[in-house]
Amino acid sequence: MQITIFGGSGFIGQKLSEELIDRGHNVLCISRNGKPSNLTTDWARKVHWVRSDILTDTHWHSAVQKADWVIDAIGILREQPTKNVTYDRFILEPVRLILTYLNTQATPAKFLFLSANSAPFPLRNYMNTKLQAEQLIKEQASEPVIIYPSLVVDKERFSSVISAAAINFLKKIPGIKKLTKRYDPISREQLAVEIANVLEGKPSVYTHRRI
């Protein structure tokens, strides 16, 4: 398949691109800076990298036209309002732009959005924006797929390893396990496998919110 990934140079996008390349798919990644300079692996050389900022240009249009699947893996965990880095701008606005353009196509690509299963109270605005994006997708996309990962863990992001260890510890305490279930950690590798399976028509528990 021809798969276009927005945010393909990011934390999840890179691992997903690697998994899809390993499975023999054609992968095109769109990011503001194109191919990261530190990516020198074989899989990265097989990816077609496109430098485009979805918020300011339309260079990405041709990549969407040719795709079987379009994946939105753009996102931020923390806002920086003084730098104009907000949830609305980096979560909600890309969804609006992608869906608006897809809906101009006679046969639009299938759309997959990377949302979140849940988020702790300090990230309530992040979660609310994800929910707004989900609602917009359900209103404007035809048979979209939404993935609901919990805490995504990888040694490259040490804070995620610490958070996962804390959650796994709390799960051992009677009465606490149920409260932490919605935050069950998933490795970055396993999330990439789950998404790739979905693209290939296989079932995944991550296509539904788990409370």
Side-chain angles (χ1 to χ4, degrees), residues 124-164:
R124 64 190 182 282
N125 291 336
Y126 165 83
M127 194 66 223
N128 286 339
T129 308
K130 286 287 191 181
L131 293 172
Q132 290 177 51
E134 290 175 24
Q135 184 59 39
L136 182 63
I137 291 165
K138 291 171 183 176
E139 292 172 355
Q140 296 193 15
S142 176
E143 299 183 359
V145 173
I146 299 175
I147 299 293
Y148 303 95
S150 43
L151 174 66
V152 182
V153 183
D154 191 275
K155 61 184 179 181
E156 290 187 11
R157 186 173 284 180
F158 188 66
S159 60
S160 70
V161 176
I162 297 299
S163 298

mmCIF file of all heavy atoms in Angstrom, residues 124-164:
data_model
loop_
_atom_site.group_PDB
_atom_site.id
_atom_site.type_symbol
_atom_site.label_atom_id
_atom_site.label_comp_id
_atom_site.label_asym_id
_atom_site.label_seq_id
_atom_site.Cartn_x
_atom_site.Cartn_y
_atom_site.Cartn_z
ATOM 1 N N ARG A 124 -5.606 17.696 31.026
ATOM 2 C CA ARG A 124 -7.031 17.697 30.666
ATOM 3 C C ARG A 124 -7.287 18.486 29.383
ATOM 4 O O ARG A 124 -8.135 18.110 28.567
ATOM 5 C CB ARG A 124 -7.886 18.235 31.813
ATOM 6 C CG ARG A 124 -7.634 19.685 32.189
ATOM 7 C CD ARG A 124 -8.351 20.067 33.484
ATOM 8 N NE ARG A 124 -8.173 21.470 33.849
ATOM 9 C CZ ARG A 124 -7.069 21.953 34.416
ATOM 10 N NH1 ARG A 124 -6.048 21.171 34.657
ATOM 11 N NH2 ARG A 124 -6.988 23.230 34.744
ATOM 12 N N ASN A 125 -6.558 19.591 29.169
ATOM 13 C CA ASN A 125 -6.756 20.369 27.942
ATOM 14 C C ASN A 125 -6.273 19.600 26.715
ATOM 15 O O ASN A 125 -6.871 19.685 25.639
ATOM 16 C CB ASN A 125 -6.027 21.713 28.044
ATOM 17 C CG ASN A 125 -6.676 22.646 29.055
ATOM 18 O OD1 ASN A 125 -7.866 22.510 29.352
ATOM 19 N ND2 ASN A 125 -5.909 23.566 29.590
ATOM 20 N N TYR A 126 -5.194 18.856 26.886
ATOM 21 C CA TYR A 126 -4.698 17.972 25.815
ATOM 22 C C TYR A 126 -5.770 16.954 25.457
ATOM 23 O O TYR A 126 -6.094 16.755 24.273
ATOM 24 C CB TYR A 126 -3.430 17.279 26.307
ATOM 25 C CG TYR A 126 -2.994 16.084 25.498
ATOM 26 C CD1 TYR A 126 -2.246 16.235 24.341
ATOM 27 C CD2 TYR A 126 -3.298 14.785 25.921
ATOM 28 C CE1 TYR A 126 -1.823 15.130 23.609
ATOM 29 C CE2 TYR A 126 -2.883 13.675 25.198
ATOM 30 C CZ TYR A 126 -2.149 13.859 24.043
ATOM 31 O OH TYR A 126 -1.735 12.758 23.329
ATOM 32 N N MET A 127 -6.347 16.316 26.474
ATOM 33 C CA MET A 127 -7.358 15.287 26.234
ATOM 34 C C MET A 127 -8.607 15.893 25.615
ATOM 35 O O MET A 127 -9.216 15.313 24.708
ATOM 36 C CB MET A 127 -7.704 14.578 27.546
ATOM 37 C CG MET A 127 -8.471 13.285 27.354
ATOM 38 S SD MET A 127 -7.482 12.031 26.533
ATOM 39 C CE MET A 127 -8.661 11.362 25.381
ATOM 40 N N ASN A 128 -9.014 17.063 26.081
ATOM 41 C CA ASN A 128 -10.203 17.715 25.523
ATOM 42 C C ASN A 128 -10.020 18.037 24.041
ATOM 43 O O ASN A 128 -10.954 17.907 23.245
ATOM 44 C CB ASN A 128 -10.515 18.999 26.301
ATOM 45 C CG ASN A 128 -11.106 18.724 27.669
ATOM 46 O OD1 ASN A 128 -11.650 17.642 27.913
ATOM 47 N ND2 ASN A 128 -11.006 19.683 28.572
ATOM 48 N N THR A 129 -8.804 18.429 23.661
ATOM 49 C CA THR A 129 -8.543 18.732 22.257
ATOM 50 C C THR A 129 -8.562 17.467 21.413
ATOM 51 O O THR A 129 -9.071 17.465 20.285
ATOM 52 C CB THR A 129 -7.189 19.450 22.098
ATOM 53 O OG1 THR A 129 -7.143 20.571 22.986
ATOM 54 C CG2 THR A 129 -7.006 19.936 20.664
ATOM 55 N N LYS A 130 -8.030 16.377 21.958
ATOM 56 C CA LYS A 130 -8.108 15.091 21.260
ATOM 57 C C LYS A 130 -9.573 14.703 21.036
ATOM 58 O O LYS A 130 -9.946 14.214 19.953
ATOM 59 C CB LYS A 130 -7.397 14.004 22.065
ATOM 60 C CG LYS A 130 -5.885 14.075 22.044
ATOM 61 C CD LYS A 130 -5.305 13.649 20.705
ATOM 62 C CE LYS A 130 -3.795 13.460 20.772
ATOM 63 N NZ LYS A 130 -3.209 13.059 19.471
ATOM 64 N N LEU A 131 -10.398 14.902 22.039
ATOM 65 C CA LEU A 131 -11.818 14.563 21.918
ATOM 66 C C LEU A 131 -12.505 15.442 20.868
ATOM 67 O O LEU A 131 -13.363 14.962 20.118
ATOM 68 C CB LEU A 131 -12.512 14.711 23.278
ATOM 69 C CG LEU A 131 -12.084 13.706 24.347
ATOM 70 C CD1 LEU A 131 -12.695 14.066 25.698
ATOM 71 C CD2 LEU A 131 -12.492 12.287 23.963
ATOM 72 N N GLN A 132 -12.144 16.716 20.805
ATOM 73 C CA GLN A 132 -12.697 17.595 19.777
ATOM 74 C C GLN A 132 -12.300 17.120 18.384
ATOM 75 O O GLN A 132 -13.110 17.129 17.450
ATOM 76 C CB GLN A 132 -12.195 19.022 19.988
ATOM 77 C CG GLN A 132 -12.752 19.725 21.226
ATOM 78 C CD GLN A 132 -12.138 21.103 21.392
ATOM 79 O OE1 GLN A 132 -12.116 21.903 20.470
ATOM 80 N NE2 GLN A 132 -11.612 21.372 22.569
ATOM 81 N N ALA A 133 -11.045 16.694 18.262
ATOM 82 C CA ALA A 133 -10.566 16.189 16.973
ATOM 83 C C ALA A 133 -11.326 14.920 16.587
ATOM 84 O O ALA A 133 -11.714 14.750 15.422
ATOM 85 C CB ALA A 133 -9.072 15.908 17.053
ATOM 86 N N GLU A 134 -11.563 14.052 17.535
ATOM 87 C CA GLU A 134 -12.314 12.822 17.274
ATOM 88 C C GLU A 134 -13.715 13.136 16.766
ATOM 89 O O GLU A 134 -14.211 12.514 15.812
ATOM 90 C CB GLU A 134 -12.410 11.972 18.539
ATOM 91 C CG GLU A 134 -11.102 11.351 18.984
ATOM 92 C CD GLU A 134 -11.244 10.632 20.305
ATOM 93 O OE1 GLU A 134 -12.373 10.214 20.654
ATOM 94 O OE2 GLU A 134 -10.235 10.486 21.021
ATOM 95 N N GLN A 135 -14.354 14.106 17.390
ATOM 96 C CA GLN A 135 -15.710 14.471 16.979
ATOM 97 C C GLN A 135 -15.719 15.026 15.562
ATOM 98 O O GLN A 135 -16.592 14.694 14.745
ATOM 99 C CB GLN A 135 -16.286 15.505 17.950
ATOM 100 C CG GLN A 135 -17.734 15.881 17.683
ATOM 101 C CD GLN A 135 -18.676 14.698 17.740
ATOM 102 O OE1 GLN A 135 -18.525 13.813 18.585
ATOM 103 N NE2 GLN A 135 -19.658 14.664 16.845
ATOM 104 N N LEU A 136 -14.742 15.858 15.249
ATOM 105 C CA LEU A 136 -14.629 16.417 13.906
ATOM 106 C C LEU A 136 -14.427 15.310 12.873
ATOM 107 O O LEU A 136 -15.036 15.319 11.801
ATOM 108 C CB LEU A 136 -13.453 17.398 13.866
ATOM 109 C CG LEU A 136 -13.210 18.122 12.541
ATOM 110 C CD1 LEU A 136 -14.392 19.008 12.183
ATOM 111 C CD2 LEU A 136 -11.924 18.939 12.622
ATOM 112 N N ILE A 137 -13.607 14.339 13.212
ATOM 113 C CA ILE A 137 -13.342 13.220 12.307
ATOM 114 C C ILE A 137 -14.614 12.414 12.060
ATOM 115 O O ILE A 137 -14.923 12.055 10.917
ATOM 116 C CB ILE A 137 -12.234 12.323 12.892
ATOM 117 C CG1 ILE A 137 -10.899 13.057 12.870
ATOM 118 C CG2 ILE A 137 -12.132 11.004 12.124
ATOM 119 C CD1 ILE A 137 -9.833 12.425 13.746
ATOM 120 N N LYS A 138 -15.338 12.137 13.105
ATOM 121 C CA LYS A 138 -16.564 11.348 12.967
ATOM 122 C C LYS A 138 -17.610 12.072 12.127
ATOM 123 O O LYS A 138 -18.423 11.440 11.446
ATOM 124 C CB LYS A 138 -17.124 11.017 14.354
ATOM 125 C CG LYS A 138 -16.246 10.032 15.132
ATOM 126 C CD LYS A 138 -16.699 9.876 16.574
ATOM 127 C CE LYS A 138 -15.765 8.960 17.343
ATOM 128 N NZ LYS A 138 -16.129 8.848 18.785
ATOM 129 N N GLU A 139 -17.578 13.398 12.158
ATOM 130 C CA GLU A 139 -18.533 14.192 11.381
ATOM 131 C C GLU A 139 -18.136 14.319 9.914
ATOM 132 O O GLU A 139 -18.997 14.389 9.038
ATOM 133 C CB GLU A 139 -18.663 15.589 11.991
ATOM 134 C CG GLU A 139 -19.336 15.618 13.365
ATOM 135 C CD GLU A 139 -19.269 16.989 14.009
ATOM 136 O OE1 GLU A 139 -18.607 17.895 13.427
ATOM 137 O OE2 GLU A 139 -19.861 17.167 15.087
ATOM 138 N N GLN A 140 -16.837 14.340 9.623
ATOM 139 C CA GLN A 140 -16.394 14.698 8.276
ATOM 140 C C GLN A 140 -15.715 13.579 7.488
ATOM 141 O O GLN A 140 -15.590 13.682 6.271
ATOM 142 C CB GLN A 140 -15.431 15.891 8.356
ATOM 143 C CG GLN A 140 -16.088 17.162 8.890
ATOM 144 C CD GLN A 140 -15.223 18.390 8.667
ATOM 145 O OE1 GLN A 140 -14.277 18.380 7.900
ATOM 146 N NE2 GLN A 140 -15.555 19.463 9.353
ATOM 147 N N ALA A 141 -15.268 12.524 8.166
ATOM 148 C CA ALA A 141 -14.554 11.462 7.459
ATOM 149 C C ALA A 141 -15.449 10.257 7.237
ATOM 150 O O ALA A 141 -16.342 9.962 8.036
ATOM 151 C CB ALA A 141 -13.309 11.047 8.238
ATOM 152 N N SER A 142 -15.215 9.553 6.140
ATOM 153 C CA SER A 142 -15.963 8.337 5.833
ATOM 154 C C SER A 142 -15.190 7.126 6.345
ATOM 155 O O SER A 142 -14.062 6.885 5.919
ATOM 156 C CB SER A 142 -16.170 8.224 4.315
ATOM 157 O OG SER A 142 -16.807 7.012 3.991
ATOM 158 N N GLU A 143 -15.766 6.413 7.281
ATOM 159 C CA GLU A 143 -15.167 5.217 7.873
ATOM 160 C C GLU A 143 -13.738 5.461 8.365
ATOM 161 O O GLU A 143 -12.800 4.750 7.985
ATOM 162 C CB GLU A 143 -15.200 4.056 6.870
ATOM 163 C CG GLU A 143 -16.609 3.668 6.445
ATOM 164 C CD GLU A 143 -16.623 2.470 5.497
ATOM 165 O OE1 GLU A 143 -15.526 1.966 5.167
ATOM 166 O OE2 GLU A 143 -17.713 2.049 5.112
ATOM 167 N N PRO A 144 -13.544 6.462 9.194
ATOM 168 C CA PRO A 144 -12.195 6.722 9.715
ATOM 169 C C PRO A 144 -11.799 5.676 10.745
ATOM 170 O O PRO A 144 -12.647 4.960 11.300
ATOM 171 C CB PRO A 144 -12.337 8.094 10.374
ATOM 172 C CG PRO A 144 -13.768 8.093 10.855
ATOM 173 C CD PRO A 144 -14.544 7.368 9.776
ATOM 174 N N VAL A 145 -10.511 5.598 11.032
ATOM 175 C CA VAL A 145 -10.006 4.747 12.107
ATOM 176 C C VAL A 145 -9.321 5.649 13.125
ATOM 177 O O VAL A 145 -8.491 6.487 12.762
ATOM 178 C CB VAL A 145 -9.003 3.704 11.579
ATOM 179 C CG1 VAL A 145 -8.364 2.939 12.741
ATOM 180 C CG2 VAL A 145 -9.695 2.731 10.631
ATOM 181 N N ILE A 146 -9.673 5.481 14.377
ATOM 182 C CA ILE A 146 -9.040 6.224 15.459
ATOM 183 C C ILE A 146 -8.336 5.220 16.367
ATOM 184 O O ILE A 146 -8.924 4.227 16.764
ATOM 185 C CB ILE A 146 -10.064 7.054 16.257
ATOM 186 C CG1 ILE A 146 -10.748 8.073 15.342
ATOM 187 C CG2 ILE A 146 -9.389 7.758 17.433
ATOM 188 C CD1 ILE A 146 -11.860 8.868 16.016
ATOM 189 N N ILE A 147 -7.074 5.482 16.661
ATOM 190 C CA ILE A 147 -6.289 4.627 17.536
ATOM 191 C C ILE A 147 -6.191 5.303 18.900
ATOM 192 O O ILE A 147 -5.925 6.495 18.996
ATOM 193 C CB ILE A 147 -4.879 4.393 16.955
ATOM 194 C CG1 ILE A 147 -4.971 3.709 15.591
ATOM 195 C CG2 ILE A 147 -4.020 3.568 17.924
ATOM 196 C CD1 ILE A 147 -5.495 2.281 15.633
ATOM 197 N N TYR A 148 -6.403 4.504 19.954
ATOM 198 C CA TYR A 148 -6.427 5.038 21.316
ATOM 199 C C TYR A 148 -5.310 4.426 22.161
ATOM 200 O O TYR A 148 -5.562 3.557 23.000
ATOM 201 C CB TYR A 148 -7.778 4.737 21.963
ATOM 202 C CG TYR A 148 -8.966 5.273 21.214
ATOM 203 C CD1 TYR A 148 -9.656 4.471 20.308
ATOM 204 C CD2 TYR A 148 -9.416 6.573 21.426
ATOM 205 C CE1 TYR A 148 -10.767 4.961 19.625
ATOM 206 C CE2 TYR A 148 -10.521 7.060 20.747
ATOM 207 C CZ TYR A 148 -11.188 6.245 19.842
ATOM 208 O OH TYR A 148 -12.283 6.727 19.173
ATOM 209 N N PRO A 149 -4.074 4.869 21.979
ATOM 210 C CA PRO A 149 -3.001 4.341 22.824
ATOM 211 C C PRO A 149 -3.063 4.953 24.217
ATOM 212 O O PRO A 149 -3.628 6.034 24.412
ATOM 213 C CB PRO A 149 -1.737 4.793 22.093
ATOM 214 C CG PRO A 149 -2.148 6.058 21.416
ATOM 215 C CD PRO A 149 -3.585 5.842 20.998
ATOM 216 N N SER A 150 -2.488 4.268 25.166
ATOM 217 C CA SER A 150 -2.333 4.831 26.503
ATOM 218 C C SER A 150 -0.921 5.415 26.576
ATOM 219 O O SER A 150 -0.458 6.015 25.623
ATOM 220 C CB SER A 150 -2.590 3.741 27.549
ATOM 221 O OG SER A 150 -1.969 2.525 27.162
ATOM 222 N N LEU A 151 -0.220 5.211 27.666
ATOM 223 C CA LEU A 151 1.141 5.732 27.784
ATOM 224 C C LEU A 151 2.072 4.975 26.836
ATOM 225 O O LEU A 151 2.204 3.756 26.926
ATOM 226 C CB LEU A 151 1.634 5.582 29.224
ATOM 227 C CG LEU A 151 3.098 5.950 29.471
ATOM 228 C CD1 LEU A 151 3.326 7.440 29.251
ATOM 229 C CD2 LEU A 151 3.519 5.540 30.878
ATOM 230 N N VAL A 152 2.710 5.683 25.923
ATOM 231 C CA VAL A 152 3.626 5.059 24.959
ATOM 232 C C VAL A 152 5.040 5.134 25.528
ATOM 233 O O VAL A 152 5.529 6.214 25.867
ATOM 234 C CB VAL A 152 3.561 5.761 23.589
ATOM 235 C CG1 VAL A 152 4.480 5.061 22.597
ATOM 236 C CG2 VAL A 152 2.118 5.771 23.070
ATOM 237 N N VAL A 153 5.674 3.965 25.607
ATOM 238 C CA VAL A 153 6.943 3.852 26.322
ATOM 239 C C VAL A 153 8.076 3.474 25.384
ATOM 240 O O VAL A 153 7.924 2.595 24.532
ATOM 241 C CB VAL A 153 6.842 2.788 27.446
ATOM 242 C CG1 VAL A 153 8.141 2.725 28.237
ATOM 243 C CG2 VAL A 153 5.669 3.093 28.365
ATOM 244 N N ASP A 154 9.210 4.132 25.566
ATOM 245 C CA ASP A 154 10.412 3.778 24.834
ATOM 246 C C ASP A 154 11.612 4.335 25.599
ATOM 247 O O ASP A 154 11.526 5.425 26.182
ATOM 248 C CB ASP A 154 10.389 4.362 23.414
ATOM 249 C CG ASP A 154 11.496 3.787 22.547
ATOM 250 O OD1 ASP A 154 12.632 4.321 22.594
ATOM 251 O OD2 ASP A 154 11.234 2.809 21.830
ATOM 252 N N LYS A 155 12.714 3.596 25.583
ATOM 253 C CA LYS A 155 13.905 4.021 26.312
ATOM 254 C C LYS A 155 14.455 5.340 25.797
ATOM 255 O O LYS A 155 15.199 6.033 26.510
ATOM 256 C CB LYS A 155 14.977 2.942 26.254
ATOM 257 C CG LYS A 155 15.465 2.610 24.857
ATOM 258 C CD LYS A 155 16.467 1.462 24.877
ATOM 259 C CE LYS A 155 16.944 1.116 23.470
ATOM 260 N NZ LYS A 155 17.896 -0.015 23.470
ATOM 261 N N GLU A 156 14.104 5.698 24.540
ATOM 262 C CA GLU A 156 14.558 6.979 24.005
ATOM 263 C C GLU A 156 13.866 8.157 24.687
ATOM 264 O O GLU A 156 14.312 9.296 24.565
ATOM 265 C CB GLU A 156 14.320 7.034 22.495
ATOM 266 C CG GLU A 156 15.219 6.109 21.697
ATOM 267 C CD GLU A 156 15.063 6.309 20.206
ATOM 268 O OE1 GLU A 156 14.415 7.302 19.807
ATOM 269 O OE2 GLU A 156 15.575 5.479 19.437
ATOM 270 N N ARG A 157 12.758 7.867 25.339
ATOM 271 C CA ARG A 157 12.053 8.901 26.109
ATOM 272 C C ARG A 157 12.021 8.410 27.551
ATOM 273 O O ARG A 157 11.072 7.749 27.979
ATOM 274 C CB ARG A 157 10.659 9.122 25.537
ATOM 275 C CG ARG A 157 9.905 10.268 26.177
ATOM 276 C CD ARG A 157 8.600 10.557 25.446
ATOM 277 N NE ARG A 157 8.807 11.263 24.190
ATOM 278 C CZ ARG A 157 7.825 11.626 23.368
ATOM 279 N NH1 ARG A 157 6.576 11.327 23.680
ATOM 280 N NH2 ARG A 157 8.090 12.265 22.250
ATOM 281 N N PHE A 158 13.071 8.737 28.300
ATOM 282 C CA PHE A 158 13.265 8.150 29.622
ATOM 283 C C PHE A 158 12.112 8.451 30.572
ATOM 284 O O PHE A 158 11.760 7.625 31.421
ATOM 285 C CB PHE A 158 14.576 8.643 30.229
ATOM 286 C CG PHE A 158 14.951 7.945 31.509
ATOM 287 C CD1 PHE A 158 15.266 6.599 31.514
ATOM 288 C CD2 PHE A 158 14.958 8.637 32.710
ATOM 289 C CE1 PHE A 158 15.606 5.943 32.688
ATOM 290 C CE2 PHE A 158 15.291 7.997 33.894
ATOM 291 C CZ PHE A 158 15.619 6.645 33.888
ATOM 292 N N SER A 159 11.499 9.617 30.420
ATOM 293 C CA SER A 159 10.376 9.971 31.301
ATOM 294 C C SER A 159 9.231 8.978 31.150
ATOM 295 O O SER A 159 8.515 8.683 32.115
ATOM 296 C CB SER A 159 9.884 11.386 31.004
ATOM 297 O OG SER A 159 9.433 11.491 29.657
ATOM 298 N N SER A 160 9.066 8.423 29.953
ATOM 299 C CA SER A 160 7.994 7.440 29.735
ATOM 300 C C SER A 160 8.298 6.143 30.464
ATOM 301 O O SER A 160 7.386 5.470 30.951
ATOM 302 C CB SER A 160 7.796 7.179 28.237
ATOM 303 O OG SER A 160 8.898 6.471 27.685
ATOM 304 N N VAL A 161 9.573 5.780 30.550
ATOM 305 C CA VAL A 161 9.972 4.565 31.268
ATOM 306 C C VAL A 161 9.670 4.720 32.756
ATOM 307 O O VAL A 161 9.150 3.797 33.400
ATOM 308 C CB VAL A 161 11.466 4.271 31.038
ATOM 309 C CG1 VAL A 161 11.907 3.054 31.859
ATOM 310 C CG2 VAL A 161 11.745 4.046 29.559
ATOM 311 N N ILE A 162 9.979 5.883 33.308
ATOM 312 C CA ILE A 162 9.712 6.154 34.723
ATOM 313 C C ILE A 162 8.208 6.132 34.997
ATOM 314 O O ILE A 162 7.741 5.536 35.970
ATOM 315 C CB ILE A 162 10.300 7.520 35.129
ATOM 316 C CG1 ILE A 162 11.820 7.509 34.976
ATOM 317 C CG2 ILE A 162 9.903 7.856 36.558
ATOM 318 C CD1 ILE A 162 12.528 6.494 35.823
ATOM 319 N N SER A 163 7.432 6.765 34.120
ATOM 320 C CA SER A 163 5.974 6.793 34.298
ATOM 321 C C SER A 163 5.383 5.386 34.221
ATOM 322 O O SER A 163 4.494 5.033 34.997
ATOM 323 C CB SER A 163 5.333 7.685 33.234
ATOM 324 O OG SER A 163 5.779 9.017 33.347
ATOM 325 N N ALA A 164 5.886 4.586 33.288
ATOM 326 C CA ALA A 164 5.391 3.214 33.141
ATOM 327 C C ALA A 164 5.694 2.400 34.386
ATOM 328 O O ALA A 164 4.859 1.602 34.846
ATOM 329 C CB ALA A 164 6.012 2.565 31.920
#
